Coordinates of all heavy atoms in Angstrom, one line a residue:
D787 N -19.4 -13.3 20.6 CA -20.3 -14.5 20.3 C -20.0 -15.1 19.0 O -19.7 -14.4 18.0 CB -21.7 -13.9 20.4 CG -22.1 -13.4 21.7 OD1 -21.9 -14.1 22.7 OD2 -22.7 -12.3 21.8
R788 N -20.0 -16.4 19.0 CA -19.6 -17.1 17.8 C -20.8 -17.5 17.0 O -21.9 -17.8 17.5 CB -18.6 -18.2 18.1 CG -19.2 -19.5 18.3 CD -18.1 -20.5 18.6 NE -18.7 -21.8 18.9 CZ -18.9 -22.7 18.0 NH1 -18.5 -22.5 16.8 NH2 -19.6 -23.8 18.3
V789 N -20.6 -17.6 15.7 CA -21.6 -18.1 14.8 C -21.8 -19.6 15.0 O -20.9 -20.3 15.1 CB -21.3 -17.8 13.3 CG1 -22.3 -18.4 12.4 CG2 -21.2 -16.3 13.1
V790 N -23.1 -20.1 15.1 CA -23.4 -21.5 15.2 C -23.8 -22.0 13.9 O -24.7 -21.4 13.2 CB -24.5 -21.7 16.3 CG1 -24.8 -23.1 16.4 CG2 -24.1 -21.1 17.6
V791 N -23.1 -23.1 13.4 CA -23.5 -23.7 12.1 C -23.9 -25.1 12.3 O -23.2 -25.9 12.9 CB -22.3 -23.6 11.2 CG1 -22.6 -24.2 9.8 CG2 -21.8 -22.2 11.0
E792 N -25.1 -25.4 11.7 CA -25.6 -26.8 11.9 C -26.2 -27.3 10.5 O -26.7 -26.5 9.8 CB -26.8 -26.8 12.9 CG -26.4 -26.4 14.3 CD -25.6 -27.5 15.0 OE1 -25.7 -28.7 14.6 OE2 -24.9 -27.2 15.9
P793 N -26.0 -28.5 10.2 CA -26.5 -29.1 9.0 C -28.0 -29.1 9.1 O -28.6 -29.4 10.1 CB -25.9 -30.5 8.9 CG -25.6 -30.9 10.3 CD -25.3 -29.6 11.0
V794 N -28.6 -28.8 7.9 CA -30.1 -28.9 7.7 C -30.4 -29.4 6.4 O -30.3 -28.7 5.3 CB -30.8 -27.5 7.8 CG1 -32.2 -27.6 7.7 CG2 -30.4 -26.8 9.2
G795 N -30.5 -30.7 6.3 CA -30.7 -31.4 4.9 C -29.5 -31.2 4.1 O -28.3 -31.5 4.5
A796 N -29.6 -30.7 2.9 CA -28.5 -30.6 2.0 C -27.8 -29.2 2.1 O -26.9 -29.0 1.4 CB -29.0 -30.7 0.6
V797 N -28.2 -28.4 3.1 CA -27.6 -27.1 3.3 C -27.2 -27.0 4.8 O -27.3 -27.9 5.6 CB -28.5 -25.9 2.9 CG1 -28.8 -26.0 1.4 CG2 -29.8 -25.9 3.7
W798 N -26.7 -25.8 5.1 CA -26.2 -25.5 6.5 C -27.0 -24.3 7.0 O -27.1 -23.3 6.2 CB -24.7 -25.2 6.5 CG -23.9 -26.4 6.1 CD1 -23.6 -26.8 4.9 CD2 -23.3 -27.4 7.0 NE1 -22.9 -27.9 4.8 CE2 -22.7 -28.3 6.1 CE3 -23.3 -27.6 8.3 CZ2 -22.0 -29.4 6.6 CZ3 -22.5 -28.6 8.8 CH2 -22.0 -29.6 8.0
A799 N -27.4 -24.2 8.2 CA -28.0 -23.1 8.8 C -26.9 -22.4 9.7 O -26.3 -23.1 10.5 CB -29.2 -23.4 9.6
A800 N -26.7 -21.1 9.5 CA -25.7 -20.4 10.4 C -26.5 -19.3 11.1 O -27.1 -18.5 10.5 CB -24.7 -19.8 9.5
F801 N -26.4 -19.4 12.4 CA -27.1 -18.4 13.3 C -26.0 -17.5 13.9 O -25.0 -17.9 14.4 CB -27.8 -19.1 14.4 CG -28.4 -18.1 15.5 CD1 -29.5 -17.3 15.2 CD2 -27.8 -17.9 16.7 CE1 -30.0 -16.4 16.1 CE2 -28.3 -17.0 17.6 CZ -29.4 -16.3 17.3
S802 N -26.3 -16.2 13.7 CA -25.4 -15.2 14.3 C -26.0 -14.5 15.5 O -27.0 -13.8 15.4 CB -25.1 -14.0 13.3 OG -24.4 -13.0 13.9
P803 N -25.5 -14.8 16.7 CA -26.0 -14.2 17.9 C -25.9 -12.6 17.9 O -26.7 -12.0 18.6 CB -25.2 -14.8 19.1 CG -24.2 -15.7 18.5 CD -24.4 -15.7 17.0
L804 N -25.0 -12.1 17.2 CA -24.8 -10.7 17.1 C -25.9 -10.0 16.4 O -26.5 -8.9 16.9 CB -23.5 -10.3 16.5 CG -22.3 -10.6 17.3 CD1 -21.0 -10.3 16.5 CD2 -22.2 -9.9 18.6
S805 N -26.4 -10.6 15.3 CA -27.4 -10.0 14.5 C -28.8 -10.6 14.8 O -29.9 -10.1 14.5 CB -27.2 -10.1 13.0 OG -27.2 -11.5 12.6
G806 N -28.8 -11.8 15.4 CA -30.0 -12.6 15.6 C -30.6 -13.2 14.4 O -31.7 -13.7 14.4
S807 N -29.8 -13.2 13.3 CA -30.4 -13.7 12.1 C -29.8 -15.1 11.8 O -28.7 -15.5 12.3 CB -30.0 -12.8 10.9 OG -28.6 -12.8 10.6
T808 N -30.5 -15.9 11.0 CA -30.1 -17.2 10.5 C -30.1 -17.2 9.0 O -31.0 -16.7 8.3 CB -31.1 -18.3 11.0 OG1 -31.2 -18.3 12.4 CG2 -30.7 -19.7 10.5
N809 N -29.0 -17.7 8.5 CA -28.8 -17.8 7.0 C -28.6 -19.2 6.6 O -27.9 -20.0 7.3 CB -27.6 -16.9 6.6 CG -27.8 -15.5 6.9 OD1 -28.3 -14.8 6.0 ND2 -27.4 -15.0 8.0
L810 N -29.0 -19.6 5.4 CA -28.7 -20.9 4.8 C -27.5 -20.8 4.0 O -27.3 -19.9 3.2 CB -29.9 -21.4 4.0 CG -31.2 -21.7 4.8 CD1 -32.3 -22.2 3.8 CD2 -30.9 -22.7 5.9
L811 N -26.5 -21.8 4.2 CA -25.3 -21.7 3.5 C -25.0 -23.0 2.7 O -25.6 -24.0 3.1 CB -24.2 -21.6 4.6 CG -24.2 -20.5 5.5 CD1 -23.0 -20.7 6.5 CD2 -24.2 -19.2 4.9
N812 N -24.2 -22.9 1.7 CA -23.8 -24.1 0.9 C -22.6 -24.7 1.6 O -22.1 -24.1 2.6 CB -23.5 -23.8 -0.5 CG -22.4 -22.8 -0.7 OD1 -21.5 -22.6 0.2 ND2 -22.3 -22.1 -1.9
D813 N -22.1 -25.8 1.2 CA -20.9 -26.5 1.8 C -19.7 -25.6 1.9 O -19.0 -25.6 2.8 CB -20.6 -27.8 1.0 CG -21.7 -28.8 1.2 OD1 -22.4 -28.8 2.3 OD2 -21.7 -29.8 0.4
L814 N -19.4 -24.8 0.8 CA -18.2 -24.0 0.8 C -18.3 -22.9 1.8 O -17.3 -22.7 2.6 CB -18.0 -23.4 -0.6 CG -16.8 -22.6 -0.8 CD1 -15.5 -23.4 -0.4 CD2 -16.7 -22.1 -2.2
A815 N -19.4 -22.2 2.0 CA -19.5 -21.2 3.0 C -19.4 -21.8 4.4 O -18.8 -21.2 5.3 CB -20.8 -20.4 2.8
A816 N -20.0 -23.0 4.6 CA -19.8 -23.6 5.9 C -18.4 -24.0 6.2 O -18.0 -23.9 7.3 CB -20.8 -24.8 6.0
A817 N -17.7 -24.4 5.2 CA -16.3 -24.8 5.3 C -15.4 -23.6 5.7 O -14.6 -23.7 6.5 CB -15.8 -25.5 4.0
V818 N -15.7 -22.5 5.1 CA -15.0 -21.3 5.4 C -15.3 -20.9 6.9 O -14.3 -20.6 7.7 CB -15.5 -20.1 4.6 CG1 -14.9 -18.7 5.1 CG2 -15.0 -20.3 3.2
L819 N -16.5 -21.0 7.4 CA -16.8 -20.7 8.8 C -16.1 -21.7 9.7 O -15.7 -21.4 10.8 CB -18.3 -20.6 9.1 CG -19.0 -19.4 8.4 CD1 -20.5 -19.5 8.7 CD2 -18.4 -18.1 8.9
E820 N -16.0 -23.0 9.3 CA -15.4 -24.0 10.1 C -13.9 -23.7 10.2 O -13.4 -23.9 11.4 CB -15.6 -25.4 9.4 CG -15.0 -26.5 10.2 CD -15.1 -27.9 9.6 OE1 -15.6 -28.0 8.4 OE2 -14.8 -28.9 10.1
V821 N -13.3 -23.3 9.2 CA -11.8 -22.9 9.2 C -11.6 -21.8 10.2 O -10.7 -21.8 11.0 CB -11.3 -22.6 7.8 CG1 -10.0 -21.9 7.9 CG2 -11.2 -23.8 6.9
L822 N -12.6 -20.9 10.1 CA -12.4 -19.7 11.1 C -12.8 -19.9 12.5 O -12.6 -19.1 13.4 CB -13.3 -18.5 10.5 CG -12.7 -18.0 9.2 CD1 -13.7 -17.1 8.5 CD2 -11.4 -17.2 9.4
E823 N -13.3 -21.1 12.8 CA -13.6 -21.5 14.2 C -12.3 -21.4 15.1 O -12.4 -21.3 16.3 CB -14.3 -22.8 14.3 CG -15.7 -22.8 13.9 CD -16.4 -24.2 14.1 OE1 -15.6 -25.2 14.3 OE2 -17.6 -24.3 14.1
T824 N -11.2 -21.7 14.5 CA -9.9 -21.7 15.2 C -9.5 -20.4 15.6 O -8.6 -20.3 16.4 CB -8.8 -22.4 14.4 OG1 -8.6 -21.7 13.2 CG2 -9.2 -23.9 14.0
G825 N -10.0 -19.3 15.0 CA -9.7 -18.0 15.4 C -9.5 -17.1 14.2 O -9.7 -17.5 13.1
E826 N -9.2 -15.8 14.5 CA -9.1 -14.9 13.4 C -7.9 -15.2 12.5 O -6.8 -15.7 13.0 CB -8.9 -13.4 14.0 CG -10.2 -12.9 14.6 CD -10.0 -11.5 15.1 OE1 -9.1 -10.8 14.6 OE2 -10.7 -11.1 16.0
M827 N -8.0 -15.0 11.2 CA -6.9 -15.3 10.3 C -7.1 -14.4 9.0 O -8.3 -14.0 8.8 CB -6.7 -16.7 10.0 CG -7.9 -17.3 9.3 SD -7.7 -19.1 8.9 CE -7.7 -19.9 10.5
S828 N -6.1 -14.2 8.3 CA -6.2 -13.5 7.0 C -7.0 -14.3 6.0 O -7.1 -15.6 6.1 CB -4.8 -13.2 6.5 OG -4.2 -14.4 6.1
A829 N -7.4 -13.6 5.0 CA -8.1 -14.4 3.9 C -7.1 -15.3 3.2 O -7.5 -16.5 2.9 CB -8.6 -13.4 2.8
E830 N -5.8 -15.0 3.1 CA -4.8 -15.9 2.5 C -4.7 -17.2 3.4 O -4.6 -18.3 2.8 CB -3.5 -15.2 2.4 CG -2.5 -15.9 1.6 CD -2.9 -15.8 0.0 OE1 -3.7 -15.0 -0.4 OE2 -2.3 -16.6 -0.8
A831 N -4.8 -17.0 4.7 CA -4.7 -18.2 5.6 C -5.9 -19.1 5.4 O -5.8 -20.3 5.5 CB -4.5 -17.8 7.0
V832 N -7.0 -18.5 5.2 CA -8.3 -19.3 5.0 C -8.1 -20.0 3.6 O -8.4 -21.3 3.6 CB -9.5 -18.4 4.9 CG1 -10.7 -19.1 4.4 CG2 -9.8 -17.7 6.2
Y833 N -7.6 -19.4 2.6 CA -7.4 -20.1 1.3 C -6.4 -21.2 1.5 O -6.7 -22.3 0.9 CB -6.8 -19.1 0.3 CG -7.6 -17.9 0.0 CD1 -7.0 -16.7 -0.3 CD2 -9.0 -17.8 0.1 CE1 -7.7 -15.5 -0.6 CE2 -9.7 -16.7 -0.2 CZ -9.0 -15.5 -0.5 OH -9.8 -14.4 -0.8
L834 N -5.3 -21.1 2.2 CA -4.4 -22.1 2.4 C -4.9 -23.3 3.2 O -4.7 -24.4 2.8 CB -3.1 -21.5 3.1 CG -2.3 -20.6 2.2 CD1 -1.2 -20.0 3.0 CD2 -1.7 -21.3 1.0
A835 N -5.7 -23.0 4.2 CA -6.3 -24.1 5.0 C -7.2 -24.9 4.1 O -7.3 -26.1 4.2 CB -7.0 -23.5 6.2
L836 N -8.0 -24.2 3.3 CA -9.0 -24.9 2.4 C -8.3 -25.7 1.3 O -8.7 -26.7 0.9 CB -10.0 -24.0 1.8 CG -11.0 -23.4 2.8 CD1 -11.9 -22.2 2.3 CD2 -11.9 -24.5 3.4
C837 N -7.1 -25.2 0.9 CA -6.2 -25.9 -0.1 C -5.8 -27.2 0.5 O -5.9 -28.3 -0.2 CB -5.0 -25.1 -0.5 SG -5.3 -23.9 -1.7
Q838 N -5.4 -27.2 1.7 CA -5.0 -28.4 2.4 C -6.1 -29.4 2.6 O -5.9 -30.6 2.4 CB -4.4 -28.1 3.8 CG -3.1 -27.4 3.7 CD -2.5 -27.1 5.1 OE1 -3.3 -27.0 6.1 NE2 -1.2 -26.9 5.2
D839 N -7.3 -28.9 2.9 CA -8.5 -29.8 3.1 C -9.0 -30.4 1.8 O -9.5 -31.5 1.8 CB -9.6 -29.0 3.8 CG -9.3 -28.7 5.2 OD1 -8.4 -29.3 5.8 OD2 -10.1 -27.9 5.8
S840 N -8.9 -29.6 0.7 CA -9.5 -30.0 -0.5 C -8.6 -30.6 -1.6 O -9.0 -31.3 -2.5 CB -10.3 -28.8 -1.1 OG -9.3 -27.9 -1.6
G841 N -7.4 -30.2 -1.4 CA -6.4 -30.6 -2.5 C -6.4 -29.8 -3.7 O -5.7 -30.0 -4.7
N842 N -7.2 -28.7 -3.7 CA -7.3 -27.8 -4.9 C -6.1 -26.9 -4.9 O -5.5 -26.6 -3.8 CB -8.6 -27.0 -4.9 CG -9.8 -27.8 -5.3 OD1 -9.7 -28.5 -6.3 ND2 -10.8 -27.8 -4.5
T843 N -5.8 -26.2 -6.0 CA -4.8 -25.2 -6.0 C -5.2 -23.9 -5.3 O -6.3 -23.6 -5.2 CB -4.4 -24.9 -7.4 OG1 -5.5 -24.2 -8.1 CG2 -3.9 -26.1 -8.2
L844 N -4.2 -23.1 -4.9 CA -4.5 -21.8 -4.3 C -5.2 -20.9 -5.2 O -6.2 -20.3 -4.8 CB -3.1 -21.2 -3.9 CG -3.3 -19.9 -3.2 CD1 -4.1 -19.9 -1.9 CD2 -1.9 -19.3 -2.9
E845 N -5.0 -20.9 -6.4 CA -5.7 -20.1 -7.4 C -7.1 -20.5 -7.5 O -8.0 -19.6 -7.5 CB -5.0 -20.1 -8.8 CG -3.6 -19.5 -8.8 CD -2.6 -20.5 -8.3 OE1 -2.8 -21.7 -8.2 OE2 -1.5 -19.9 -7.9
T846 N -7.4 -21.8 -7.5 CA -8.8 -22.3 -7.6 C -9.6 -21.9 -6.4 O -10.7 -21.4 -6.4 CB -8.8 -23.8 -7.8 OG1 -8.1 -24.1 -9.0 CG2 -10.2 -24.4 -7.9
I847 N -8.9 -22.2 -5.2 CA -9.6 -21.9 -3.9 C -9.8 -20.4 -3.8 O -10.9 -19.9 -3.4 CB -8.8 -22.4 -2.7 CG1 -8.8 -23.9 -2.7 CG2 -9.3 -21.8 -1.4 CD1 -10.1 -24.5 -2.4
R848 N -8.8 -19.5 -4.1 CA -9.1 -18.1 -4.0 C -10.2 -17.6 -4.9 O -11.1 -16.8 -4.5 CB -7.8 -17.4 -4.4 CG -7.8 -15.9 -4.2 CD -6.6 -15.1 -4.7 NE -5.5 -15.4 -3.7 CZ -4.4 -15.9 -4.1 NH1 -4.1 -16.3 -5.3 NH2 -3.5 -16.1 -3.1
A849 N -10.3 -18.2 -6.1 CA -11.4 -17.8 -7.0 C -12.7 -18.2 -6.5 O -13.7 -17.5 -6.6 CB -11.2 -18.3 -8.4
M850 N -12.8 -19.4 -5.8 CA -14.1 -19.9 -5.3 C -14.5 -19.2 -4.0 O -15.6 -18.9 -3.7 CB -13.9 -21.4 -5.0 CG -13.8 -22.2 -6.3 SD -13.4 -23.9 -6.0 CE -14.6 -24.4 -4.8
V851 N -13.5 -18.9 -3.1 CA -13.8 -18.5 -1.7 C -13.8 -17.0 -1.6 O -14.6 -16.5 -0.8 CB -12.7 -19.1 -0.8 CG1 -12.9 -18.5 0.6 CG2 -12.8 -20.6 -0.8
E852 N -13.1 -16.2 -2.4 CA -13.2 -14.8 -2.2 C -14.6 -14.2 -2.3 O -15.0 -13.4 -1.4 CB -12.3 -14.0 -3.2 CG -12.2 -12.5 -2.9 CD -11.1 -11.8 -3.8 OE1 -10.3 -12.5 -4.4 OE2 -11.1 -10.6 -3.7
P853 N -15.4 -14.6 -3.3 CA -16.8 -14.1 -3.2 C -17.6 -14.6 -2.0 O -18.5 -13.9 -1.5 CB -17.4 -14.7 -4.5 CG -16.3 -15.2 -5.3 CD -15.1 -15.4 -4.4
V854 N -17.3 -15.8 -1.5 CA -18.0 -16.4 -0.4 C -17.7 -15.5 0.9 O -18.5 -15.2 1.7 CB -17.6 -17.8 -0.1 CG1 -18.1 -18.3 1.2 CG2 -18.1 -18.7 -1.3
L855 N -16.4 -15.0 1.0 CA -16.0 -14.2 2.1 C -16.8 -12.9 2.1 O -17.4 -12.5 3.2 CB -14.5 -13.9 2.1 CG -13.6 -15.0 2.4 CD1 -12.1 -14.6 2.2 CD2 -13.8 -15.5 3.8
H856 N -17.0 -12.3 0.9 CA -17.8 -11.1 0.8 C -19.2 -11.3 1.2 O -19.9 -10.5 1.9 CB -17.6 -10.5 -0.6 CG -16.3 -9.9 -0.9 ND1 -15.9 -8.7 -0.4 CD2 -15.3 -10.4 -1.6 CE1 -14.8 -8.4 -0.9 NE2 -14.3 -9.4 -1.5
T857 N -19.8 -12.5 0.8 CA -21.1 -12.8 1.1 C -21.4 -13.0 2.6 O -22.3 -12.6 3.2 CB -21.6 -14.1 0.3 OG1 -21.5 -13.8 -1.1 CG2 -23.0 -14.5 0.7
L858 N -20.4 -13.7 3.2 CA -20.5 -13.9 4.7 C -20.4 -12.6 5.4 O -21.1 -12.4 6.4 CB -19.4 -14.8 5.1 CG -19.5 -16.3 4.6 CD1 -18.3 -17.1 5.0 CD2 -20.8 -16.9 5.2
V859 N -19.6 -11.7 4.9 CA -19.5 -10.3 5.6 C -20.8 -9.6 5.4 O -21.3 -9.0 6.4 CB -18.3 -9.5 5.0 CG1 -18.4 -8.0 5.4 CG2 -17.0 -10.1 5.4
D860 N -21.3 -9.6 4.2 CA -22.7 -8.9 3.9 C -23.8 -9.5 4.8 O -24.7 -8.8 5.1 CB -23.0 -9.0 2.4 CG -22.1 -8.2 1.5 OD1 -21.3 -7.3 2.1 OD2 -22.1 -8.4 0.3
A861 N -23.7 -10.8 5.0 CA -24.7 -11.5 5.8 C -24.6 -11.3 7.4 O -25.4 -11.7 8.1 CB -24.8 -13.0 5.5
G862 N -23.4 -10.6 7.7 CA -23.2 -10.4 9.1 C -22.7 -11.6 9.8 O -22.6 -11.7 11.1
L863 N -22.2 -12.6 9.1 CA -21.7 -13.9 9.7 C -20.2 -13.8 9.9 O -19.6 -14.7 10.6 CB -22.0 -15.1 8.8 CG -23.5 -15.4 8.8 CD1 -23.8 -16.4 7.7 CD2 -24.1 -15.8 10.1
L864 N -19.5 -12.9 9.3 CA -18.1 -12.7 9.4 C -17.8 -11.2 9.5 O -18.4 -10.4 8.7 CB -17.5 -13.2 8.1 CG -16.0 -13.3 8.0 CD1 -15.4 -14.2 9.0 CD2 -15.6 -13.9 6.6
H865 N -17.0 -10.8 10.4 CA -16.7 -9.4 10.7 C -15.2 -9.2 10.5 O -14.4 -9.4 11.3 CB -17.1 -9.0 12.0 CG -18.6 -9.3 12.3 ND1 -19.6 -8.5 11.9 CD2 -19.2 -10.3 12.9 CE1 -20.7 -9.0 12.2 NE2 -20.5 -10.1 12.8
I866 N -14.9 -8.7 9.2 CA -13.5 -8.3 9.0 C -13.4 -7.1 8.2 O -14.4 -6.7 7.5 CB -12.7 -9.5 8.2 CG1 -13.4 -9.8 6.9 CG2 -12.6 -10.7 9.1 CD1 -12.7 -10.8 6.1
W867 N -12.3 -6.4 8.2 CA -12.1 -5.2 7.3 C -12.1 -5.6 5.9 O -11.4 -6.6 5.6 CB -10.9 -4.5 7.8 CG -10.9 -3.9 9.1 CD1 -10.3 -4.4 10.3 CD2 -11.7 -2.8 9.6 NE1 -10.7 -3.6 11.3 CE2 -11.5 -2.6 11.0 CE3 -12.6 -1.9 8.9 CZ2 -12.1 -1.6 11.7 CZ3 -13.1 -0.9 9.6 CH2 -12.9 -0.7 11.0
P868 N -12.6 -4.8 5.0 CA -12.6 -5.2 3.6 C -11.1 -5.4 3.1 O -10.9 -6.2 2.2 CB -13.2 -4.0 2.9 CG -14.2 -3.5 3.9 CD -13.5 -3.7 5.3
S869 N -10.2 -4.6 3.6 CA -8.8 -4.8 3.2 C -8.3 -6.2 3.4 O -7.4 -6.7 2.7 CB -7.9 -3.7 3.8 OG -7.9 -3.9 5.2
A870 N -8.8 -6.9 4.4 CA -8.4 -8.2 4.8 C -8.9 -9.2 3.7 O -8.3 -10.3 3.6 CB -8.9 -8.6 6.1
L871 N -9.8 -8.8 2.9 CA -10.3 -9.7 1.8 C -9.4 -9.6 0.6 O -9.5 -10.5 -0.3 CB -11.8 -9.3 1.5 CG -12.8 -9.6 2.6 CD1 -14.2 -9.2 2.1 CD2 -12.8 -11.0 3.0
A872 N -8.6 -8.6 0.4 CA -7.8 -8.5 -0.7 C -6.8 -9.6 -0.9 O -6.3 -10.1 0.1 CB -7.0 -7.2 -0.7
S873 N -6.7 -10.1 -2.1 CA -5.8 -11.3 -2.3 C -4.4 -10.8 -2.7 O -4.1 -9.7 -2.9 CB -6.4 -12.2 -3.3 OG -7.1 -11.6 -4.3

């Protein structure tokens, strides 16, 4: 079952059918989930995709997104092994 993400005013609501919970997300967290809609990928692939979308450097994206990946895992919106988060 996939996470459903919808805009709600200035934030995003993400519903996980697996946990039954809804979480409010900022734009960056929603962008991470959007990238992952295409299928499973490594954290490095997520960083590279967001670099292409944003024009930011890999180092900048990694610093911004790594904590977001951990937050999404903790919220039950992303299910990956912790080793996959290592940069």
Side-chain angles (χ1 to χ4, degrees):
D787 292 312
R788 92 181 179 91
V789 173
V790 178
V791 180
E792 295 289 335
V794 179
V797 297
W798 299 83
F801 173 74
S802 171
L804 293 176
S805 68
S807 66
T808 300
N809 294 275
L810 295 179
L811 306 177
N812 63 19
D813 289 339
L814 183 56
V818 169
L819 291 178
E820 181 180 7
V821 166
L822 290 168
E823 282 182 348
T824 61
E826 292 183 21
M827 62 180 68
S828 68
E830 196 69 17
V832 172
Y833 303 149
L834 291 172
L836 291 170
C837 282
Q838 289 178 337
D839 287 348
S840 70
N842 287 310
T843 66
L844 180 60
E845 295 77 21
T846 299
I847 291 294
R848 185 180 288 122
M850 291 170 51
V851 173
E852 189 170 351
V854 172
L855 290 174
H856 289 282
T857 300
L858 292 172
V859 169
D860 290 345
L863 296 171
L864 184 60
H865 304 281
I866 58 176
W867 294 105
S869 61
L871 294 177
S873 34

